[in-house]
Amino acid sequence: VQLQASGGGLVQAGGSLRLSCTASGTIFSDSTMGWYHQGPGKERELVASITSDGTTDYADSMKGRFTISRDNAKNTAYLQMNSLKPENTGVYYCKMRKKVGGLKYDYWGQGTQVTVSS
């Protein structure tokens, strides 16, 4: 399983970015996808997740500004980030979770850097 994250970059506060995470080597449609943020010197934390049936969940601080979505035909999950703030700076990782026979398997992408200037 390989996850390729992309779409990061440098943006001014108030701007927007869309991150993409494309999966290969496995069936995408039955997975739960998540985006995680790791700020400088901080632990990785969940930003948003989306299940195979499209149910979404967000960290409280991201609600209303970030939107997670998926396109199963393209094996890709997205994170639309609007009204970005300097504290959103960091590396964003995508994660795929698959459940097989009652067991959970997690796969991580390589991360994409987002820098928000004030």
Side-chain angles (χ1 to χ4, degrees):
V1 177
Q2 288 190 328
L3 301 176
Q4 182 68 43
S6 62
L10 174 64
V11 63
Q12 289 187 333
S16 299
L17 284 174
R18 189 177 81 154
L19 307 183
S20 300
C21 177
T22 300
S24 61
T26 189
I27 298 173
F28 178 80
S29 59
D30 63 358
S31 65
T32 292
M33 299 299 297
W35 284 99
Y36 289 73
H37 170 237
Q38 187 165 17
K42 296 184 178 180
E43 294 187 352
R44 198 174 298 185
E45 58 183 8
L46 177 67
V47 173
S49 63
I50 183 167
T51 64
S52 57
D53 65 1
T55 301
T56 58
D57 189 28
Y58 296 90
D60 287 342
S61 61
M62 312 301 180
K63 289 180 179 177
R65 297 191 298 122
F66 290 11
T67 303
I68 190 171
S69 61
R70 66 191 297 158
D71 185 339
N72 290 336
K74 295 183 178 180
N75 289 353
T76 300
Y78 303 96
L79 184 68
Q80 177 67 44
M81 305 188 293
N82 299 328
S83 302
L84 283 162
K85 304 176 181 179
E87 52 263 41
N88 298 134
T89 292
V91 180
Y92 285 76
Y93 298 89
C94 59
K95 186 187 83 173
M96 170 184 281
R97 170 163 286 183
K98 296 182 71 70
K99 296 181 180 179
V100 180
L103 298 177
K104 298 176 183 179
Y105 297 87
D106 289 339
Y107 305 92
W108 290 90
Q110 85 287 3
T112 185
Q113 175 71 42
V114 171
T115 302
V116 184
S117 63
S118 57

